[in-house]
Amino acid sequence: MTSDLFAPPGAPWQRVSPALTKVRRILAIPPLVLIAVITGALAAGRVGSEWLTVLFTVVAIAALAIAAWTWSWAARNTASWGYAEDEDDLLVTGGVMFRRLVAVPYGRMQVVDRQAGPIDRAFGIASVTLHTASTETAATIPGLPADEATRLRNRLTELGESAGAGL
Amino acid sequence: MPDSEPIGSRTHPLTGLVQGVLWAGAAMLALLGTLFTGGNGEDGLPIWLDVLMRVGGGLVVGITFGFLTWWFTRYLIDGTELRITSGILQKSSRRIPYERIQSVDIAEPFLARVIGLAELRIEMAGGRSARSSLRFLPLDDARRLRRILLGRAHGRTADELEADSVEPELELIARVSPERVMLGTVLSLDFLAAALGSVGVLAAALWFDQVLAFLGGIIPLVTWLGQIVGKRVLTQWDFTLSRSNDGLRIERGLLSRSSQSIPFARVQGVAVEEPYVWRRLGWQRLEVDVAGFGSQGDSDSADINSTLLPIADPVLAATVIDELVPGARMAPEERVQVPRRAWPFAPIGWRYRWVAADDVAFVARSGWLQRTTDVVPHARTQSVELKQGPWQRRLGVATVEVHTPKGPVDADGPHLDEADAHRVAFAQLALARKARLPRAG
């Protein structure tokens, strides 16, 4: 049942752009590698007490391990995102370890945001976030191709207005 | 501004004084707090002089600021809207069209009440609802203004309102006596915990003869105790619940009085809480999730109370719930229980959790020490979420969440069997969709 639990009810999931993997890697790995290099150099140079050297070594190794894990996580995470525009709701799914499926009725959408940071724009992706009256609705679709993000944002805003059910 | 534009009236002159003292009071508490915990005062200055300086300084600053704020605040009622202009340096002009007024509440903070002043709080409809407040007006003026605003909001003309100078009829539903509230507070779990904690720490301090060392533990506990008493007893004193045409009206408070209205159309859900001891006596507390109440982050949020009935017996509670969510059954027979294998997530509580949906609302029950029942009308469902973490996946369970605006209602079905969770989530979507359709006829 597990694999069916997050299966789309109607049409198959639309996937996000693979560029999201690259963006995630770029954002996460260089800082971690930098930390590893700095702490590694401090450890090799035996700066400070014995205990401090051990600490630096541990941090360096941990940073490298996290960087390696992030490399593979980014690909799996990107593949897990999906969305589907149903008749009355928008369904968004995502997550590798912590999987989620959110269904937001068009009539309940209040604000639809399209956001893209500098690195997102360099790779031609953007994210779309939906807001309802509830702060628990965390429906964000990251890594959409820029045009698709604009199309989705406009379409959802239109649907939200026409189906608007107020509060 | 052209000369022909009307400027509007000011609020009561003493507003500045009251507002300033309120602000200064908060600042003073903080200053006094640092006195006890941190610095021991300037060198050479006796303690009392230092305290006096801090208190005096705070008061002067507060009152000056309060006066300035009052000077620059004006309000105006014209044909279509209420306009409030304010701001010392940064001018702001807020326009409140009558149709967008959802509710008008009257709050009387203690200091204002002593002088006979009250604050008018206006809530607007719409997605990002905003609360405007007008401080301070004489109580009669505030009541008259409320009547006018609500009347205009419901489409009555200015002439009709002039002629009809009587307060609209309110039908009394319940009055909770202060003794009941006090008894209920004493018997509630957090009070008992705080009281026992205080006694325990005090006993330990005396036993070990180290009063100062334990002072650090006693003060937070006693403060917590004070807060509970303040919040429950003082705020809910003489709690009166009445019904008007468009909603419920709640009046409560011992020192500070508050008159709050809950429009039927804005109710997003009801939560029923039954602490362990209360259950034995058959008492319940009702809290209501009203659109706009939970999202206010300003300093007055302490006064915004989502308590619908601080303490009630089952019959009264059922009556009130029926007013707000007509037709909801609090304990439907067809329930979706949490399966036994989910016990690691809640070793004792798993047995008592279930969710159910009838024609009208989604009901979620949880808790064994404090039993909570959350009711969300289908029409008020925002979004629905299905979640599964790695350990849940291993056990074949998942969590369903029915989202509502921020408030006391938390309608979740945690750790349900996977197939059930999937079914419940999509069923809820369908029910919500059906409930949103305009009713035929």
Side-chain angles (χ1 to χ4, degrees):
Chain A
M1 176 70 201
T2 307
S3 55
D4 300 338
L5 188 60
F6 294 95
W13 295 117
Q14 296 187 54
R15 295 295 174 188
V16 301
S17 161
L20 182 64
T21 315
K22 294 199 195 96
V23 170
R24 290 247 166 102
R25 285 178 180 157
I26 289 179
L27 285 173
I29 293 181
L32 284 169
V33 169
L34 191 64
I35 293 177
V37 163
I38 292 179
T39 48
L42 287 170
R46 301 213 184 272
V47 171
S49 65
E50 172 91 28
W51 182 86
L52 214 54
T53 306
V54 169
L55 182 67
F56 284 142
T57 320
V58 166
V59 170
I61 295 178
L64 282 177
I66 295 177
W69 178 81
T70 307
W71 183 272
S72 76
W73 167 85
R76 278 180 290 139
N77 184 272
T78 303
S80 74
W81 285 99
Y83 62 98
E85 292 167 72
D86 256 13
E87 207 180 296
D88 291 290
D89 331 279
L90 176 76
L91 297 155
V92 180
T93 188
V96 176
M97 280 211 302
F98 290 89
R99 307 208 56 192
R100 305 168 52 218
L101 188 152
V102 183
V104 185
Y106 297 131
R108 290 275 177 241
M109 284 179 200
Q110 293 185 343
V111 182
V112 186
D113 282 333
R114 178 194 184 279
Q115 287 157 329
I119 303 190
D120 291 336
R121 271 177 279 143
F123 281 87
I125 59 173
S127 70
V128 170
T129 310
L130 288 87
H131 296 284
T132 63
S134 167
T135 48
E136 300 174 284
T137 308
T140 304
I141 312 174
L144 289 165
D147 296 337
E148 172 67 5
T150 312
R151 180 203 73 85
L152 193 61
R153 195 266 311 268
N154 294 342
R155 174 140 175 78
L156 290 177
T157 311
E158 247 174 62
L159 284 167
E161 276 163 8
S162 63
L167 277 170
Chain B
M1 256 187 354
D3 276 339
S4 55
E5 189 164 321
I7 298 177
S9 8
R10 285 217 180 87
T11 52
H12 195 276
L14 284 177
T15 300
L17 186 67
V18 179
Q19 185 70 50
V21 173
L22 284 175
W23 280 332
M28 279 189 307
L29 280 174
L31 283 175
L32 287 175
T34 61
L35 195 66
F36 281 119
T37 57
N40 293 320
E42 316 287 313
D43 296 273
L45 274 181
I47 284 261
W48 62 267
L49 191 60
D50 194 29
V51 169
L52 201 63
M53 274 172 49
R54 290 174 193 238
V55 167
L59 268 176
V60 167
V61 169
I63 292 182
T64 312
F65 198 56
F67 181 76
L68 283 174
T69 312
W70 168 77
W71 183 262
F72 287 102
T73 304
R74 288 182 185 276
Y75 70 96
L76 176 66
I77 296 190
D78 69 10
T80 54
E81 62 191 16
L82 166 70
R83 235 178 301 161
I84 302 177
T85 50
S86 58
I88 302 173
L89 291 173
Q90 190 175 340
K91 302 278 178 202
S92 93
S93 169
R94 177 164 274 182
R95 308 171 65 171
I96 305 171
Y98 296 134
E99 316 83 58
R100 290 196 64 206
I101 292 179
Q102 199 82 60
S103 65
V104 180
D105 299 338
I106 294 182
E108 301 171 64
F110 180 58
L111 277 171
R113 190 169 173 213
V114 159
I115 312 180
L117 299 177
E119 175 188 356
L120 208 63
R121 292 195 185 144
I122 303 154
E123 274 246 16
M124 290 195 277
R128 299 272 174 87
S129 63
R131 164 169 302 201
S132 320
S133 87
L134 200 54
R135 296 186 170 132
F136 288 103
L137 299 163
L139 187 56
D140 286 335
D141 281 357
R143 288 209 179 117
R144 187 180 52 89
L145 210 57
R146 170 167 71 177
R147 195 170 38 82
I148 292 177
L149 288 173
L150 284 177
R152 298 301 291 264
H154 292 120
R156 304 171 66 192
T157 65
D159 300 326
E160 278 178 37
L161 286 167
E162 282 297 313
D164 179 26
S165 59
V166 178
E167 287 280 327
E169 281 294 311
L170 287 178
E171 194 190 320
L172 182 71
I173 301 179
R175 176 178 246 130
V176 182
S177 68
E179 299 86 43
R180 255 302 176 89
V181 175
M182 285 198 288
L183 191 56
T185 305
V186 165
L187 289 176
S188 69
L189 285 171
D190 34 9
F191 184 90
L192 286 172
L196 282 173
S198 307
V199 168
V201 173
L202 200 61
L206 291 172
W207 180 265
F208 292 108
D209 217 7
Q210 293 265 10
V211 181
L212 275 177
F214 281 95
L215 207 63
I218 291 183
I219 289 186
L221 275 174
V222 171
T223 316
W224 186 24
L225 209 61
Q227 269 183 343
I228 295 178
V229 169
K231 186 163 171 248
R232 302 262 175 87
V233 176
L234 291 180
T235 343
Q236 313 292 9
W237 194 270
D238 204 20
F239 192 98
T240 309
L241 182 67
S242 334
R243 183 191 306 116
S244 71
N245 281 343
D246 332 279
L248 299 178
R249 173 81 62 82
I250 294 175
E251 303 192 348
R252 54 186 168 83
L254 175 61
L255 298 176
S256 305
R257 197 101 186 126
S258 155
S259 172
Q260 182 182 342
S261 48
I262 300 181
F264 290 129
R266 301 267 277 184
V267 172
Q268 305 290 320
V270 179
V272 180
E273 311 215 354
E274 303 165 87
Y276 189 77
V277 182
W278 288 22
R279 268 211 302 282
R280 303 279 162 268
L281 300 164
W283 290 345
Q284 304 175 346
R285 176 168 69 242
L286 295 185
E287 311 235 327
V288 65
D289 197 347
V290 181
F293 271 22
S295 56
Q296 305 304 325
D298 58 14
S299 58
D300 296 318
S301 56
D303 295 328
I304 300 171
N305 216 289
S306 51
T307 307
L308 182 61
L309 268 181
I311 184 166
D313 55 52
V315 172
L316 177 60
T319 318
V320 174
I321 293 177
D322 205 53
E323 299 254 356
L324 294 175
V325 188
R329 285 176 297 151
M330 300 302 294
E333 292 85 35
E334 292 163 10
R335 309 171 187 181
V336 180
Q337 297 269 17
V338 173
R340 172 174 284 271
R341 61 181 189 277
W343 72 265
F345 296 107
I348 304 181
W350 71 267
R351 266 189 210 90
Y352 304 101
R353 294 181 179 179
W354 51 260
V355 298
D358 59 18
D359 305 321
V360 171
F362 179 83
V363 183
R365 160 83 58 89
S366 65
W368 57 280
L369 208 50
Q370 170 148 315
R371 193 162 78 181
T372 310
T373 312
D374 297 290
V375 182
V376 178
H378 293 314
R380 302 282 174 239
T381 304
Q382 297 292 316
S383 48
V384 179
E385 186 167 344
L386 188 58
K387 306 208 294 210
Q388 192 182 51
W391 293 278
Q392 286 179 309
R393 202 155 30 248
R394 211 157 280 161
L395 291 169
V397 296
T399 299
V400 179
E401 287 182 3
V402 173
H403 293 152
T404 54
K406 190 164 163 198
V409 173
D410 215 2
D412 301 337
H415 318 300
L416 299 171
D417 173 69
E418 275 180 345
D420 286 341
H422 193 264
R423 189 169 40 84
V424 167
F426 283 94
Q428 184 58 24
L429 265 180
L431 287 165
R433 182 184 317 138
K434 215 168 61 165
R436 278 200 302 277
L437 292 173
R439 278 163 228 285

